[in-house]
Amino acid sequence: MAKRLANPNPEKEMSFLDHLEELRWHIIRSTIAVVIVGTLAFIAKDFIFDVLLFGPKSADFPTYKLLCRAARFIGMNSFCFEELPFRIQSRTMSGQFSAHIWTSVTAGIIIAFPYIIYEFWKFISPGLMPKERKHSKGFIIIASFLFFLGVLFGYYVITPLSINFLGSYRVSEEVFNDFDLSSYISLVRASVLASGLIFELPIVIYFLTKLGLVTPEILRKYRKFALVIVLIISAVITPPDIASQVIVAVPVTILYEISIYISRAVLRNNRKKEKEKANEQQ
């Protein structure tokens, strides 16, 4: 492993190779964090699989109970069942071990996300103004909060809706659903990670506005197109029924509207700083 370069003069501009060296160490530390947390998740196999992963296929899952009560309140019997009509199987010799490994890696990425964001911020912070660096803690907290909020939304909303629809869907009574373990885990993983990343939209808009690539006017002008994109994303990460897509589209649309206000606030602060700088030069 190469020795890390020391930078005795922080104000001195770093070369491209120096930046690559710094980035390499940030990636290494993030990877180590994922490996450590992933190892703990590997050890906690029973909780990860029996409670978390296979929880959404149980009739006792909180989402199903809530939806069942809501359905009965309006005189329907949807989401009220004792058992979903499918089984999970592993059809390859290494199937269960591979699922264990990759699920542990995914858990490591999710749980270590705040530290990964911290390393990302440490890499980009030297290029920011001193006042902007002071908000690093706030950035890490907000980005982590949005990500975990998206993960919870994916786990408690998208995942059970997808499992209930796809697990109950039949083209004929002659066909019984026997899902492969990797297929089931992929659905849960995609639902959770996709939601976590989608909920980072305000953070993405913040940086795009900082770079001058996005303005509130552009976001408002293309709101209709954004709504179409939101519906497409909702259709991709949810089962193909209108109710599920609407449930997913609503929070994403709200995040888009919040992003407009964030972009406006960033632009306002930039103009204020430019005005103060102009006054100082006079």
Side-chain angles (χ1 to χ4, degrees):
M1 186 178 292
K3 186 176 180 182
R4 187 179 182 186
L5 298 176
N7 187 13
N9 185 7
E11 300 300 325
K12 186 178 178 180
E13 186 177 353
M14 296 174 65
S15 67
F16 178 72
L17 293 178
D18 290 336
H19 280 296
L20 286 181
E21 178 70 6
E22 281 294 316
L23 178 61
R24 185 171 75 93
W25 278 96
H26 288 299
I27 294 175
I28 289 174
R29 286 194 293 270
S30 298
T31 304
I32 291 174
V34 171
V35 170
I36 292 174
V37 179
T39 302
L40 296 176
F42 186 88
I43 296 172
K45 177 184 67 173
D46 293 340
F47 175 77
I48 295 294
F49 280 86
D50 295 338
V51 177
L52 293 182
L53 273 179
F54 296 143
K57 69 179 289 291
S58 172
D60 295 330
F61 196 66
T63 305
Y64 297 137
K65 289 184 176 180
L66 182 62
L67 292 175
C68 179
R69 291 174 185 172
R72 285 178 174 173
F73 180 77
I74 59 176
M76 298 177 64
N77 201 35
S78 302
F79 300 102
C80 300
F81 54 87
E82 295 183 0
E83 184 181 8
L84 284 169
F86 70 85
R87 297 176 302 189
I88 299 175
Q89 61 179 348
S90 179
R91 297 180 297 169
T92 59
M93 288 293 292
S94 62
Q96 295 196 51
F97 181 72
S98 297
H100 192 185
I101 292 291
W102 287 110
T103 299
S104 299
V105 172
T106 303
I109 293 173
I110 292 174
I111 299 173
F113 183 81
Y115 183 77
I116 297 173
I117 286 292
Y118 169 72
E119 288 293 340
F120 169 75
W121 183 264
K122 283 181 65 178
F123 177 69
I124 66 172
S125 60
L128 302 176
M129 301 296 290
K131 291 183 179 180
E132 293 173 334
R133 293 175 196 162
K134 293 180 181 179
H135 300 294
S136 60
K137 292 182 179 179
F139 165 77
I140 295 170
I141 292 173
I142 293 173
S144 300
F145 171 76
L146 289 173
F147 179 76
F148 287 131
L149 187 63
V151 166
L152 291 175
F153 181 79
Y155 180 73
Y156 282 103
V157 178
I158 297 178
T159 298
L161 288 175
S162 300
I163 291 175
N164 179 73
F165 179 84
L166 298 175
S168 303
Y169 190 83
R170 286 189 178 186
V171 294
S172 171
E173 293 297 326
E174 298 295 323
V175 182
F176 187 86
N177 286 329
D178 275 332
F179 299 130
D180 194 72
L181 177 62
S182 61
S183 175
Y184 177 86
I185 293 177
S186 295
L187 185 146
V188 178
R189 179 174 60 239
S191 300
V192 168
L193 290 179
S195 298
L197 295 177
I198 288 173
F199 272 60
E200 292 293 320
L201 179 62
I203 301 296
V204 174
I205 295 298
Y206 172 84
F207 280 106
L208 291 179
T209 305
K210 278 284 186 182
L211 295 173
L213 300 176
V214 168
T215 64
E217 290 74 20
I218 291 177
L219 293 175
R220 283 194 292 265
K221 180 179 179 181
Y222 295 101
R223 182 187 277 114
K224 294 180 180 179
F225 298 98
L227 181 59
V228 174
I229 294 174
V230 167
L231 292 174
I232 293 174
I233 294 174
S234 302
V236 170
I237 65 176
T238 60
D241 64 280
I242 301 299
S244 300
Q245 294 175 17
V246 170
I247 290 174
V248 175
V250 168
V252 178
T253 303
I254 293 174
L255 286 172
Y256 184 85
E257 295 299 326
I258 292 174
S259 299
I260 295 177
Y261 288 101
I262 291 175
S263 180
R264 183 189 303 168
V266 171
L267 205 61
R268 188 188 306 118
N269 289 335
N270 289 343
R271 289 170 179 171
K272 183 178 179 182
K273 290 177 183 178
E274 292 175 359
K275 187 176 181 180
E276 290 176 353
K277 187 175 180 180
N279 291 335
E280 290 176 358
Q281 292 177 351
Q282 289 179 355

